[in-house]
Amino acid sequence: MKMTLIKPALTLENKDFSYPIYVHEDALLSVGDFVKQAISEKKYSGCIIIADENVSKLYAGRLKGDLGESLKLEIKLPAGETTKSITHLEKICEQILASGIDRQTLIVALGGGVIGDLAGFAASILLRGIPFIQVPTSLLAMVDSSVGGKTGINSAAGKNLIGSFYQPEAVFIDTAVLNTLPKREFKAGYAEVVKYAFINDAKFFAWLEDNKEKIFALEPQAITHMITTCCQHKADIVAADEKEHGARALLNLGHTFGHALEAENNYGPELLHGEAVAIGMVMAFDFSAHLGICSAVDAEKVKTHIDRVGLPTKVRDIKSLRGLNAEKMISLMFKDKKVKLGRLRLILAHAIGESFVADEVKLDELQVFLEKTL
Ligand code: NAD
Ligand code: GLY
C-alpha cells in the first residue's frame, strides 16, 4: 500500500536521527495515511491515541475514522498541567501494557504540550522505548514542545524534573485546529513564537511586528509562515545540540524567571506557562538593561510588543503572585535545571535577536533588580 503523503515543511536532521515536520491546514488527515502506510511496511503493529478530554472531543473522531483497525486503544485524560504527573504516567503505562503492546506499537500524542510531554515520556520508557508521533493542537505545542524530543512530567520539587530526551517519528501540525484553541491559550503560545525572534532573529521580530493583526486573525498564510519559521529555528538548534550542552539552553529565554513564577503559583490556572514565559522574557531583557549589557530601548520594545499582543508583562499583573519577594524568587530560580555546580545560569541579551547564556549571574545584582521589579 503506497500512499502519497503531503510534503514535509522541513526535516529535523542530525547524525543520530531525522524526522519530518508537516505544517499544513489539513495535516490531521495525513496521520491515518502515515500510520497505515508504516503498518503495511511492518514498521508499526498498531497505534494508541492519547489526548486530553477537550482535544479528544474535537479531533480524536477524525483520526479514529482514518486509523480504522490499526487503532488499538484510545486514552482520554483530564485537561491541564496537573495531568503531567507521576500518577497519570503510572495509570497510562499500566493501561497501555494491559492492552498488550509490542515494541512496534505507535503512540499518537494528540494535544497540547501537556499531552505531548506526558505521552512522549511514556513512549520513552514503555518496553524501554516505543515509537511515537506528535500531533500538536495548541500553538505552544506546534512551535515548541512537539519538536525536539524533550518529554517529561512535573514533580513536587519542580516543573519538568522527571523526563527524557526522546525524539518523535514525525510531527503533524494542522494549522486549522487553531480555530478552536481558546484565545488566551493562543496568546500564551505566541510567547514561545516571539521567543525565537528575541533569541537570534531580529528580522523575524520585525515581521511579527508587521503581521500581528494577521496572526491574531489566524490568517492562514501568516500562521503557516510563522509556525514554519519557529519550527525551523527549533530544528536548527536541536540538530546542533540535542541534549542541551550548549546552544539549546537559549530556548529557555525567560524560562528561569517564568518557571519560578509558575512554581510560586503552584502551576494553577491564574498563570499559563506561556504567560509566565512572557513575563520572564521581559524580566530577562530588563535585567540585561539593568546590567548595562542591553539598551533600555530594546528592553522597552520587548515589553511593548508583549503588552500589545495582550500578554502580561509584570509579576504584579498576576494577582496570586503579589506577595512574591526577591529572596523567594531567587530560591525558586535555583531549582532550574540550568543551575550548574551551584551557579545560576540565565539567558540574557545584548539586543533583540542577540541572546546568550550568562554563566555566572551575580546574585547581588539579581537581588537588587528583583527588589526594584517585583
Ligand atoms: P495544554 O496541553 O494544557 O493545552 C492548553 C489547553 O488548550 C488545554 O486545555 C487543551 O485541552 C486545550 N487545547 C489544546 N489544543 C486545542 C485546540 N486545538 N482546540 C481547543 N482546545 C485545545 O498546554 P500547552 O500550552 O499546549 O503546553 C504547556 C506544556 O508544554 C507545559 O507543561 C510546558 O512545560 C510544556 N512545554 C514543553 C516543551 C518541550 O520542549 N517539551 C516546550 C514548551 C512547553
Ligand atoms: N522548550 C525548550 C527546549 O525544547 O529546549
Side-chain angles (χ1 to χ4, degrees), residues 50-53 76-90 92 114-115 117-119 152-154:
I50 303 182
D52 74 23
E53 279 155 1
K76 280 184 220 168
L77 295 166
E81 188 67 34
T82 47
T83 292
K84 245 176 76 172
S85 67
I86 196 102
T87 313
H88 281 101
L89 178 73
E90 183 186 357
I92 67 170
V114 165
I115 291 300
D117 282 11
L118 173 71
I153 54 171
N154 302 325

Side-chain angles (χ1 to χ4, degrees), residues 52 54 81 84 112-114 117 137-138 145 150 159 177 180:
D52 74 23
N54 298 338
E81 188 67 34
K84 245 176 76 172
V114 165
D117 282 11
T137 60
S138 68
S145 59
K150 275 192 185 173
K159 207 171 145 63
V177 306
T180 57

Side-chain angles (χ1 to χ4, degrees), residues 144 150 195 234 244 248 251-252:
D144 191 357
K150 275 192 185 173
K195 177 186 80 177
K234 178 116 194 212
E244 202 169 304
R248 187 163 184 171
L251 294 174
N252 290 307

Side-chain angles (χ1 to χ4, degrees), residues 192-249:
E192 302 279 9
V193 169
V194 72
K195 177 186 80 177
Y196 293 105
F198 293 153
I199 291 174
N200 65 3
D201 194 346
K203 251 171 80 184
F204 185 41
F205 179 63
W207 183 87
L208 290 170
E209 284 265 82
D210 290 346
N211 288 277
K212 275 196 298 291
E213 284 73 25
K214 288 185 187 162
I215 291 165
F216 283 86
L218 298 185
E219 200 270 288
Q221 262 187 331
I223 290 288
T224 301
H225 175 72
M226 175 183 85
I227 291 174
T228 308
T229 305
C230 295
C231 289
Q232 189 65 62
H233 274 298
K234 178 116 194 212
D236 290 346
I237 290 182
V238 172
D241 176 27
E242 183 197 8
K243 302 256 163 85
E244 202 169 304
H245 299 304
R248 187 163 184 171

Side-chain angles (χ1 to χ4, degrees), residues 313-327:
T313 59
K314 303 189 287 295
V315 175
R316 263 167 289 137
D317 288 345
I318 313 300
K319 245 196 202 153
S320 54
L321 297 179
R322 286 188 189 150
L324 182 61
N325 62 27
E327 287 77 23

